[in-house]
Amino acid sequence: MPAPRPFRSAPLPAALVLALTGCSLSDGSPEPSPSPSAEGAAEAPAGFAEPEDPYAGMDAGLSERLHLPLYDFQLDQYERSVVGRAELTLTVECLVDLGYEAELNPGAGEDPLMMRAFGPHHEYRRYGNARVDIAEEYGFGLPDEPRGGPGDEPYTVGGGPELAEQARTAAFGLDPQAGPAPDFTTPSGEPVPEGGCMTRARRQIDPGSALPFDTDGEGYALDVPESNVLAESLLGESFTAAKDDPAVAAAAAVWEDCMAGAVDGYPGTASSSEGAAPEAAVPGAECRDTSGYLDAFAEAERAVAAGIVAEHEEALTERHERLRENLAVSREVLGW
């Protein structure tokens, strides 16, 4: 498995990516549902429902074994999704303000396998698949999820394809294919906010949010309301440093011996076995545990992280405090 790449930029929330790259088109003109705002979210009649137990699928013991200090400065995957849904809610509200027939689809949700398969901080896949039960059910991958169906779209836009395409550009603030958004008149006559509705939404959650693209129109802004890019980058550094630790190398050799006995002629290595022969998935996960590879790698990363955190603690803490505030605002937006 390749080392995590230090992030130059933060990815968009999955739901927002879907919304901005291809919102659902409708030939009719549905009545738009009022979308929540930071001031009146609790009164909104429609929106995303709060999950009963978003951490139900996690393995608490495994997460504790694989916990890294830098995770303490991030939002976990569920918390990030809360902020992402608030951004989406406010983006749709902005589109409605501009006169588009935009409506949230509260049925669009997180993949229920995400917490089971990846963990709150993707720790179950950081060193290769660490969950034997997932390997037993799905091999090296996960079941294919249908995309593009009506239940998957985070919002819909009525009024026909032309208005839907215009709304997509208004949401993004920039046409991802053609560059800067062309001049057009919105249905309300109001101008598109600087950076589009997405930027307005982000700034309602985190007033310091930057424009989504730099001055050349290349790359996303660094920190978005749910991200700590410094922590992400430092996690890449700690992974790269820890993989050369002698204890990790020794455990990797034990893993290879374990796999040689379990799968005849298996060619993989502990760090690059994903996507190999399906029959290797379960022994790969089992050997990762019994060889001590998981614990050795996590311990090596924790040792590296001690110095990294000490060096960057002020900046990491400042950003994390901002993230907790953003999460609280996002819950208000969603009425949760």
Side-chain angles (χ1 to χ4, degrees), residues 12-33:
L12 293 171
L16 202 51
V17 169
L18 284 172
L20 298 176
T21 56
C23 52
S24 178
L25 306 182
S26 171
D27 292 331
S29 299
E31 289 296 324
S33 298

Side-chain angles (χ1 to χ4, degrees), residues 15 22 36 39 65 75 149 153 181 286 290 314 319 329:
E39 291 77 22
R65 280 176 63 190
L75 297 182
E153 301 291 352
E286 291 174 337
T290 60
E314 183 177 354
R319 181 59 189 166
V329 171

Side-chain angles (χ1 to χ4, degrees), residues 10-335:
L12 293 171
L16 202 51
V17 169
L18 284 172
L20 298 176
T21 56
C23 52
S24 178
L25 306 182
S26 171
D27 292 331
S29 299
E31 289 296 324
S33 298
S35 300
S37 66
E39 291 77 22
E43 292 140 16
F48 294 112
E50 184 172 12
E52 184 176 342
D53 185 1
Y55 299 98
M58 74 176 284
D59 181 330
L62 183 60
S63 288
E64 184 176 357
R65 280 176 63 190
L66 301 180
H67 185 77
L68 301 177
L70 283 162
Y71 295 158
D72 296 332
F73 299 97
Q74 298 178 300
L75 297 182
D76 67 33
Q77 284 303 117
Y78 169 65
E79 292 167 333
R80 288 172 67 100
S81 76
V82 171
V83 180
R85 287 183 173 192
E87 290 178 25
L88 180 59
T89 299
L90 292 171
T91 297
V92 171
E93 180 184 79
C94 173
L95 291 174
V96 171
D97 288 346
L98 294 176
Y100 296 103
E101 296 173 353
E103 186 174 57
L104 269 176
N105 175 13
E110 295 293 309
D111 185 338
L113 276 173
M114 287 294 290
M115 193 62 70
R116 279 188 65 208
F118 295 96
H121 293 278
H122 280 209
E123 64 270 35
Y124 304 161
R125 295 279 173 137
R126 187 166 180 83
Y127 315 120
N129 185 13
R131 292 198 62 161
V132 176
D133 58 337
I134 293 294
E136 288 174 340
E137 291 182 64
Y138 305 113
F140 284 113
L142 290 173
D144 292 333
E145 294 293 333
R147 299 298 178 192
D152 295 323
E153 301 291 352
Y155 69 81
T156 59
V157 177
E162 184 177 346
L163 275 180
E165 178 66 16
Q166 192 182 101
R168 185 181 71 89
T169 302
F172 211 42
L174 188 80
D175 186 328
Q177 280 76 44
D183 292 332
F184 55 77
T185 301
T186 65
S188 71
E190 295 296 319
V192 175
E194 181 186 24
C197 285
M198 180 181 70
T199 298
R200 191 183 88 162
R202 287 178 172 174
R203 287 175 173 173
Q204 285 177 267
I205 297 169
D206 185 349
S209 292
L211 291 171
F213 286 88
D214 61 27
T215 54
D216 296 324
E218 297 177 358
Y220 296 109
L222 294 179
D223 276 316
V224 294
E226 62 268 36
S227 72
N228 186 339
V229 170
L230 175 59
E232 298 281 359
S233 178
L234 295 176
L235 280 165
E237 289 184 22
S238 68
F239 184 99
T240 300
K243 72 177 182 179
D244 294 326
D245 186 276
V248 175
V254 175
W255 180 90
E256 290 176 10
D257 288 341
C258 178
M259 287 298 289
V263 183
D264 186 39
Y266 183 70
T269 66
S271 62
S272 64
S273 62
E274 304 301 326
E279 65 271 17
V282 171
E286 291 174 337
C287 289
R288 223 172 249 113
D289 185 23
T290 60
S291 67
Y293 182 78
L294 294 175
D295 294 313
F297 213 140
E299 186 58 35
E301 277 214 72
R302 283 191 283 268
V304 172
I308 289 177
V309 169
E311 182 181 355
H312 298 278
E313 188 167 11
E314 183 177 354
L316 287 167
T317 300
E318 180 180 354
R319 181 59 189 166
H320 183 246
E321 289 173 352
R322 181 69 246 177
L323 289 176
R324 302 313 299 180
E325 294 173 9
N326 294 348
L327 179 61
V329 171
S330 296
R331 292 185 64 86
E332 292 178 14
V333 168
L334 295 168

